[in-house]
Amino acid sequence: FESLNTYRKHLAKERGKREENKELSDIVKKRLKELGRTQRWLANQIGVSGQIVNCYAQDKSIPRGKTLYIIT
């Protein structure tokens, strides 16, 4: 890889291809819509940044441990 940034972008793409990321992303988006809530609201509820919740909603990351338990 040309740089650390290029490598990180590659890893993000690879994570986005994982089926469990897609499933969680769909659940997060659907549930927020049902509740009429925003990603920012969810971030405040679970104690993470809005950027992190955005990554969950865009299939770029999955929560771990306690955060995953709280969301589900």
Side-chain angles (χ1 to χ4, degrees), residues 15-27:
R15 282 191 299 269
K17 293 178 184 176
R18 294 181 189 162
E19 189 59 33
E20 65 268 21
N21 289 21
K22 179 70 174 137
E23 291 172 12
L24 181 64
S25 170
D26 292 344
I27 290 168

